[in-house]
């Protein structure tokens, strides 16, 4: 068994997931790559069914959905072997998806962290949908049926306990390697954004979508985040889309905050 299994493939990692679990040592790491931008974003739903045993629909945060479908598929395969995986970090670079997972000796899958994501095209609000509530997946604002994707991983994309250590290391490398200081500075910034979004809900709201629905100019993310926090909500930027925010507020509240 190997301590680190790097699946650096073109296209989907689905054909290699089971073999990766079989080759990895307990407390070892599986590092998965996907360059398939269609399957997880809802543009090839039949491929998604074959690769991940799930259905992906098109909606504004579909790139995060792709990461969560990959993690969910590994988590389900691991549970079938009485193991589990814990995400260390999940990264979307604009063209490529990368997920680093730690294999652990006990099942991590449950009906709270592995379920469905619902989206209302009418009002633009997201919500998670548990297995037992699939038949009642409607928007709380207008009672319309939600567009539902899944099943997928709904837990954290990153290990919030490890990320501060990553930031510390990145900062120290920037000091030691003066020639690469700017590169390490950008990595530290990315890691801090990942740290901020680690415990946020499994979706985000693009600023352009907030502006469109509110008939507003594109809102400033920092001011919008601060307003939502002042109103008692959680909010942060996200590395998945620099022109988007993560928050537990709904779309209607985001529009009201942007308008204020």
């Amino acid at each position: 068994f190997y301590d680190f299994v790097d699946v650096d493939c073109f296209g989907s990692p689905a054909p290699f997931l089971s073999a990766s679990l079989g080759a990895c040592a307990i407390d070892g790491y599986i590092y998965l790559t996907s360059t398939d931008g269609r399957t997880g974003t809802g543009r090839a739903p039949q491929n998604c069914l074959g690769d991940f045993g799930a259905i992906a629909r098109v909606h504004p945060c579909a790139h995060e959905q792709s990461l969560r479908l990959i993690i969910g598929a590994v988590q389900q395969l691991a549970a079938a072997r009485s193991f589990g995986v814990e995400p260390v970090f999940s990264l979307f670079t604009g063209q490529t998806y990368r997920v680093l997972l730690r294999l652990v000796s006990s099942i991590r899958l449950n009906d709270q962290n592995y379920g469905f994501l619902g989206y209302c095209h009418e009002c633009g609000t997201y919500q998670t949908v548990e297995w037992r509530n699939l038949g009642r997946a409607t928007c709380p604002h207008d009672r319309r049926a939600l567009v539902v994707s899944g099943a997928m991983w709904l837990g954290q994309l990153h290990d919030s306990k490890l990320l501060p250590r990553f930031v510390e290391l990145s900062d120290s490398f920037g000091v030691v390697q003066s020639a690469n200081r700017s590169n390490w500075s950008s990595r530290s910034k990315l890691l801090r954004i990942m740290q901020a979004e680690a415990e946020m809900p499994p979706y985000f709201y693009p600023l352009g979508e907030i502006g469109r629905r509110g008939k507003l100019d594109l809102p400033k993310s920092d001011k919008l985040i601060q307003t939502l926090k002042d109103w008692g909500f959680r909010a942060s930027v996200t590395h998945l889309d620099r022109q988007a925010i993560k928050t537990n507020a709904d779309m209607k509240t985001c529009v009201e905050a942007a308008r204020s």
Side-chain angles (χ1 to χ4, degrees):
F1 299 102
Y2 295 90
D3 295 319
F4 198 99
V5 179
D6 186 5
V7 183
D8 190 8
C9 61
F10 292 101
S12 172
F16 313 105
L17 299 184
S18 181
S20 300
L21 285 168
C24 188
I26 298 298
D27 293 325
Y29 297 87
I30 301 172
Y31 197 21
L32 300 171
T33 306
S34 174
T35 59
D36 181 0
R38 291 177 51 80
T39 297
T41 56
R43 292 174 174 81
Q46 290 303 315
N47 291 353
C48 188
L49 186 61
D51 284 357
F52 306 123
I55 287 295
R57 307 293 295 275
V58 177
H59 51 80
C61 72
H63 291 304
E64 178 170 357
Q65 173 176 268
S66 291
L67 292 170
R68 294 185 175 281
L69 285 166
I70 295 169
I71 298 171
V74 181
Q75 193 75 267
Q76 194 279 324
L77 286 171
R81 301 177 182 220
S82 297
F83 297 141
V85 292
E86 297 176 343
V88 179
F89 66 78
S90 309
L91 179 67
F92 173 60
T93 65
Q95 294 181 325
T96 304
Y97 306 89
R98 291 287 263 169
V99 176
L100 181 62
L101 305 169
R102 182 194 302 108
L103 183 65
V104 295
S105 59
S106 58
I107 294 175
R108 294 291 190 266
L109 185 77
N110 59 58
D111 60 3
Q112 300 297 309
N113 59 32
Y114 183 68
F116 300 85
L117 184 65
Y119 177 70
C120 178
H121 281 282
E122 186 68 22
C123 74
T125 293
Y126 285 97
Q127 61 178 291
T128 58
V129 181
E130 297 181 7
W131 293 83
R132 293 178 179 85
N133 293 330
L134 272 175
R136 299 187 294 274
T138 57
C139 178
H141 301 298
D142 51 34
R143 312 313 301 175
R144 291 177 179 267
L146 297 175
V147 171
V148 177
S149 300
M152 69 179 78
W153 174 250
L154 299 176
Q156 292 188 14
L157 287 178
H158 322 293
D159 188 329
S160 55
K161 295 179 180 178
L162 274 180
L163 282 173
R165 177 58 176 156
F166 291 168
V167 172
E168 181 183 330
L169 286 171
S170 182
D171 288 344
S172 66
F173 292 156
V175 172
V176 174
Q177 303 175 22
S178 57
N180 294 322
R181 185 167 297 164
S182 62
N183 288 335
W184 283 114
S185 176
S186 65
R187 283 162 175 75
S188 295
K189 182 179 180 181
L190 171 62
L191 287 165
R192 286 185 170 89
I193 292 173
M194 293 165 74
Q195 186 177 351
E197 71 180 353
E199 298 183 5
M200 286 291 165
Y203 49 80
F204 59 80
Y205 293 113
L207 298 178
E209 188 71 7
I210 295 171
R212 183 183 71 82
R213 290 182 178 275
K215 296 180 173 58
L216 305 165
D217 293 334
L218 193 68
K220 299 287 187 181
S221 61
D222 55 345
K223 293 183 179 180
L224 179 56
I225 287 170
Q226 188 57 54
T227 299
L228 289 169
K229 287 181 176 179
D230 292 342
W231 289 4
F233 296 98
R234 294 184 296 140
S236 76
V237 291
T238 174
H239 89 276
L240 295 150
D241 185 342
R242 298 301 174 90
Q243 292 295 311
I245 63 167
K246 276 185 164 289
T247 179
N248 60 337
D250 59 18
M251 174 60 81
K252 180 181 179 181
T253 304
C254 290
V255 170
E256 291 174 355
R259 184 173 286 122
S260 73

